[in-house]
Amino acid sequence: MTGSRSFLIFLCILMEIVLYGAETSDVLPGVGNIYVSDGKVERPYFEVAGPRNVTYIVGHHAQLHCRVRHAGDRMVSWIRKRDLHVLSSNQISFTSDARFSVIHPQDSDDFNLQIKFVQKRDAGIYECQIPNLGETIKYQVLLNVEEAQAMISGPEFVRTSSTISLTCSVNIHSQPAGSVTWYHGQNVVDFNSPRGGISMETTKSESGIVSKLVITKATSSDGGNYTCIPVPSHAGPASVMVHVVNGEHSEPIHHVEHNSTGGSQSTCSLRLNFLFVILAINYHQLHREFH
């Protein structure tokens, strides 16, 4: 009985020593740097510093945000969820892919993962991790990677002296392209040409970039192939063939997209449609002459 009482007294004295040490020190021994402020233990936690669902275009630089408060001397790591590959610990890289790096300004709580020249294969969930009292707390960011695509809409057949209006849309979200360059055939569209009546309006939004080309009082020389090219060229160009005809026939456009080699996907259908239009116009002219 005396031995049990002595053991309890020993435990009480030991507890007093531990509590006294916790109250008079900024660090609790054995558990890493857990800072004490106003008598409260400040445990590490993640603070939202940016979107957790981000979209980047192929070829752009992606940056995934991670801000850790009260990290102390803990190692902040980035993990690729797909294959559980440890990409970094603080600013030390554990991947041979030089496109991956951690941006950690001095005296900053930010440990942002940067992926240069992002590719489709980089898409997926990435975790920012930090150990805390025997467990690991995690902060996930979903990276989406898209290929930029351009598409043209507008009339494919227009009457002489009417207006040609073409709209080029590019699905660039996170980092909109600077502008769109329009080509007529092999030449850049000249908005200051003596012809006049040619204008372009470009708008940008979170959903992408839209450029509208307007050519008034169309003549036969305004017909031909029109191409829009996003600048910088992270998206393939889009092209359409416009026909200026004498008559009343007009049809809606078929969307024509070009790959990187510039080949049209519907050249044959365009030629057939044009042939039908010419035959229809000639038929109406002959009908009026005989009646």
Side-chain angles (χ1 to χ4, degrees), residues 226-242:
Y226 284 85
T227 303
C228 69
I229 301 178
V231 180
S233 185
H234 293 297
S239 297
V240 66
M241 183 67 70
V242 175

Side-chain angles (χ1 to χ4, degrees), residues 158-209:
V158 298
R159 291 177 295 167
T160 302
S161 299
S162 63
T163 298
I164 299 173
S165 180
L166 303 175
T167 300
C168 177
S169 302
V170 188
N171 68 329
I172 297 180
H173 304 286
S174 59
Q175 299 180 18
S179 62
V180 166
T181 299
W182 284 91
Y183 281 80
H184 181 202
Q186 300 297 319
N187 301 315
V188 177
V189 173
D190 185 3
F191 300 99
N192 299 315
S193 69
R195 177 203 184 283
I198 304 176
S199 63
M200 179 185 70
E201 180 181 0
T202 301
T203 58
K204 304 174 186 178
S205 67
E206 294 182 356
S207 61
I209 182 170

Side-chain angles (χ1 to χ4, degrees), residues 106-271:
Q106 187 175 3
D107 299 325
S108 169
D109 292 328
D110 293 332
F111 294 83
N112 300 331
L113 179 66
Q114 178 175 264
I115 309 174
K116 294 184 177 180
F117 308 107
V118 68
Q119 302 297 315
K120 290 281 288 183
R121 67 177 184 272
D122 298 322
I125 297 175
Y126 292 79
E127 282 186 353
C128 185
Q129 300 184 354
I130 184 171
N132 178 41
L133 295 177
E135 64 176 359
T136 301
I137 57 176
K138 306 173 182 179
Y139 183 89
Q140 292 187 344
V141 180
L142 174 61
L143 171 63
N144 305 288
V145 182
E146 295 183 357
E147 293 183 356
Q149 297 177 349
M151 179 177 289
I152 294 181
S153 60
E156 93 182 15
F157 295 96
V158 298
R159 291 177 295 167
T160 302
S161 299
S162 63
T163 298
I164 299 173
S165 180
L166 303 175
T167 300
C168 177
S169 302
V170 188
N171 68 329
I172 297 180
H173 304 286
S174 59
Q175 299 180 18
S179 62
V180 166
T181 299
W182 284 91
Y183 281 80
H184 181 202
Q186 300 297 319
N187 301 315
V188 177
V189 173
D190 185 3
F191 300 99
N192 299 315
S193 69
R195 177 203 184 283
I198 304 176
S199 63
M200 179 185 70
E201 180 181 0
T202 301
T203 58
K204 304 174 186 178
S205 67
E206 294 182 356
S207 61
I209 182 170
V210 176
S211 180
K212 186 175 182 179
L213 176 67
V214 176
I215 303 173
T216 60
K217 299 180 180 179
T219 65
S220 58
S221 62
D222 295 319
N225 185 73
Y226 284 85
T227 303
C228 69
I229 301 178
V231 180
S233 185
H234 293 297
S239 297
V240 66
M241 183 67 70
V242 175
H243 307 279
V244 180
V245 296
N246 294 316
E248 300 179 355
H249 191 86
S250 179
E251 294 182 354
I253 196 172
H254 298 284
H255 290 232
V256 181
E257 298 178 19
H258 277 221
N259 54 28
S260 58
T261 60
S264 172
Q265 297 179 349
S266 58
T267 303
C268 182
S269 61
L270 284 174
R271 290 175 177 173

